[in-house]
Amino acid sequence: MRVFLSLILFVAVSVGGHDRAFAAKAEVTGMCVCKKGSNVLSTYSETLCVKNDHAGCTSAKVACVNANAAACRLAGGTISQSTKTCSVGAKC
């Protein structure tokens, strides 16, 4: 009986992991903020074709920071990832 239950559990985990490995990608938009002190100078966004999960959202926010860091510095500010959740668009 134990072997049978272990086999069922193994198959369930394997199938669940298999589905996640082939998850469709989507256009995920992450935001970043340029601030000087407590004043918001600018907000920016960057859209990437990634998996719609925490790592994908973080990747979009990091890309936003990297793409806009120079402009924010020129404005005299400091750029950081936004605390807003990422938005999800069409599959890609």
Side-chain angles (χ1 to χ4, degrees):
M1 182 69 171
R2 245 188 232 172
V3 173
F4 180 73
L5 291 175
S6 296
L7 181 60
I8 290 175
L9 181 61
F10 174 76
V11 170
V13 170
S14 296
V15 171
H18 184 265
D19 289 344
R20 278 185 236 108
F22 295 102
K25 292 182 177 181
E27 293 178 352
V28 176
T29 302
M31 296 185 70
C32 55
V33 182
C34 178
K35 289 184 177 181
K36 186 171 187 176
S38 61
N39 297 323
V40 174
L41 301 176
S42 300
T43 58
Y44 304 98
S45 65
E46 191 72 24
T47 301
L48 299 178
C49 180
V50 293
K51 284 172 53 173
N52 180 20
D53 59 8
H54 180 73
C57 179
T58 300
S59 295
K61 289 180 178 184
V62 168
C64 182
V65 168
N66 292 338
N68 298 290
C72 183
R73 263 193 311 274
L74 286 174
T78 303
I79 197 162
S80 61
Q81 295 179 20
S82 173
T83 58
K84 291 186 177 183
T85 58
C86 289
S87 60
V88 181
K91 290 182 180 180
C92 53

